[in-house]
């Protein structure tokens, strides 16, 4: 059996041990890092299946680590779950903008953490129906789902896993309105904890990375988004 690697980035030894213990019990291979710099070098060396990332860390903080992970071509699509201080809205919103996949407020139950990790890994393996792996062509944009690659005017665009899947959802329903709920359930799965604004944050990112989408993705007030017919 292949053990999935989870990089635990946490400077509090007790929490680190607790998480490692529960993950090991569930058949994962935990990798530990206690500060931001160690986290990045461990991520680059080990290519973990998922990163569990505390925000308050010595050296580089969790948000800096997240930013570095998302801009590293080899790591950009690694799911990241942030551990946040309870009620810290600013960190949560910044984390969303930087492409975190989920948040777990402290204090947390390790069982819940493990359950969320499993859910995210299930989703990132791909939803049923993705097996055919289509290629979408929309004006100068080309998405190859099997290779997880997006090219605009022939140049590769680096997208996070969420941005990729949102774009895929829009491309596969071009000309039709997708509600925020529909996008959330397609991309995050049913019953996730993310808030509506998450979708807006990711759409904003897509528009920033691929500027013609500013116009091509239409905002449908109070409902969601629509990719104009190519
Ligand atoms: Ca900490």
């Amino acid at each position: 059996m292949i053990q999935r690697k989870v990089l635990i980035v946490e400077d509090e030894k007790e929490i680190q041990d607790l998480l490692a213990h529960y993950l090991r019990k569930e058949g994962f291979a935990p990798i530990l890092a206690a500060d931001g710099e160690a986290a990045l070098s461990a991520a680059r060396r080990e290519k973990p299946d998922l990163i569990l990332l505390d925000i308050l860390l010595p050296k580089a903080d969790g948000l800096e680590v997240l930013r570095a992970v998302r801009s590293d071509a080899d790591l950009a699509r690694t799911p990241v779950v942030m551990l946040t201080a309870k009620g810290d809205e600013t960190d949560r919103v910044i984390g969303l903008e930087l492409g975190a996949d989920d948040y777990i407020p402290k204090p947390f139950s390790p069982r819940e953490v493990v359950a969320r990790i499993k859910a995210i890994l299930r989703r990132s393996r791909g939803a049923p129906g993705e097996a055919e792996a289509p290629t979408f062509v929309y004006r100068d944009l080309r998405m190859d789902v099997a290779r997880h690659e997006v090219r605009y005017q022939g140049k590769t665009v680096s997208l996070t896993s969420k941005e990729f899947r949102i774009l895929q959802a829009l491309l596969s329903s071009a000309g039709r309105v997708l509600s925020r709920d529909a996008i959330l359930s397609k991309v995050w799965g049913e019953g996730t904890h993310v808030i509506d604004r998450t979708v807006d944050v990711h759409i904003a990112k897509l528009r920033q990375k691929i500027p013609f989408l500013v116009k091509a993705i239409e905002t449908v007030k109070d409902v969601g988004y629509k990719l104009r017919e190519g």
Side-chain angles (χ1 to χ4, degrees):
M1 188 185 118
I2 303 163
Q3 280 194 315
R4 307 268 239 152
K5 294 184 198 172
V6 175
L7 174 59
I8 302 171
V9 187
E10 170 62 78
D11 56 321
E12 282 162 72
K13 186 85 176 65
E14 250 172 59
I15 300 180
Q16 203 186 56
D17 288 347
L18 185 72
L19 288 169
H21 169 77
Y22 272 86
L23 282 167
R24 225 173 263 127
K25 234 172 58 175
E26 294 288 329
F28 291 96
I31 303 155
L32 307 177
D35 66 62
E37 286 173 14
L40 271 176
S41 52
R44 289 183 177 130
R45 191 179 61 238
E46 303 278 350
K47 307 272 185 303
D49 295 286
L50 184 142
I51 301 171
L52 204 51
L53 184 58
D54 186 28
I55 290 196
L56 286 177
L57 291 169
K59 301 191 182 163
D61 74 23
L63 295 174
E64 285 174 63
V65 173
L66 178 59
R67 195 176 286 124
V69 164
R70 287 295 176 248
S71 57
D72 182 314
D74 286 339
L75 299 174
R77 287 193 286 276
T78 310
V80 175
V81 177
M82 306 290 291
L83 301 173
T84 65
K86 205 172 184 131
D88 200 334
E89 185 73 10
T90 318
D91 281 351
R92 268 192 348 161
V93 171
I94 296 173
L96 278 179
E97 280 164 3
L98 295 175
D101 293 80
D102 203 356
Y103 293 83
I104 302 178
K106 286 178 168 181
F108 49 73
S109 101
R111 273 174 230 275
E112 156 125 49
V113 175
V114 171
R116 297 243 205 136
I117 288 175
K118 285 184 175 172
I120 287 171
L121 288 176
R122 258 197 313 274
R123 285 202 296 277
S124 67
R125 265 202 296 263
E130 269 182 358
E132 315 130 39
T135 299
F136 295 99
V137 179
Y138 181 86
R139 299 186 202 170
D140 292 339
L141 188 72
R142 190 184 173 83
M143 171 182 278
D144 182 333
V145 176
R147 299 172 67 180
H148 218 280
E149 190 181 71
V150 173
R151 284 173 169 270
Y152 178 62
Q153 295 183 333
K155 276 196 200 151
T156 306
V157 184
S158 165
L159 298 181
T160 66
S161 60
K162 293 290 182 272
E163 289 159 6
F164 187 92
R165 295 181 61 190
I166 289 176
L167 184 58
Q168 186 184 349
L170 287 164
L171 286 166
S172 60
S173 12
R176 282 180 286 145
V177 180
L178 276 179
S179 67
R180 287 186 179 77
D181 279 349
I183 296 174
L184 283 173
S185 66
K186 268 177 197 279
V187 176
W188 276 264
E190 305 282 351
T192 35
H193 298 259
V194 291
I195 44 173
D196 272 14
R197 175 154 148 65
T198 310
V199 173
D200 303 336
V201 167
H202 285 82
I203 296 271
K205 269 297 204 200
L206 276 173
R207 284 171 164 158
Q208 196 184 321
K209 290 184 177 176
I210 311 170
F212 92 96
L213 292 179
V214 172
K215 283 199 177 146
I217 301 176
E218 198 180 319
T219 304
V220 183
K221 200 169 175 296
D222 299 329
V223 182
Y225 296 94
K226 178 172 106 177
L227 186 68
R228 289 175 204 271
E229 250 158 323

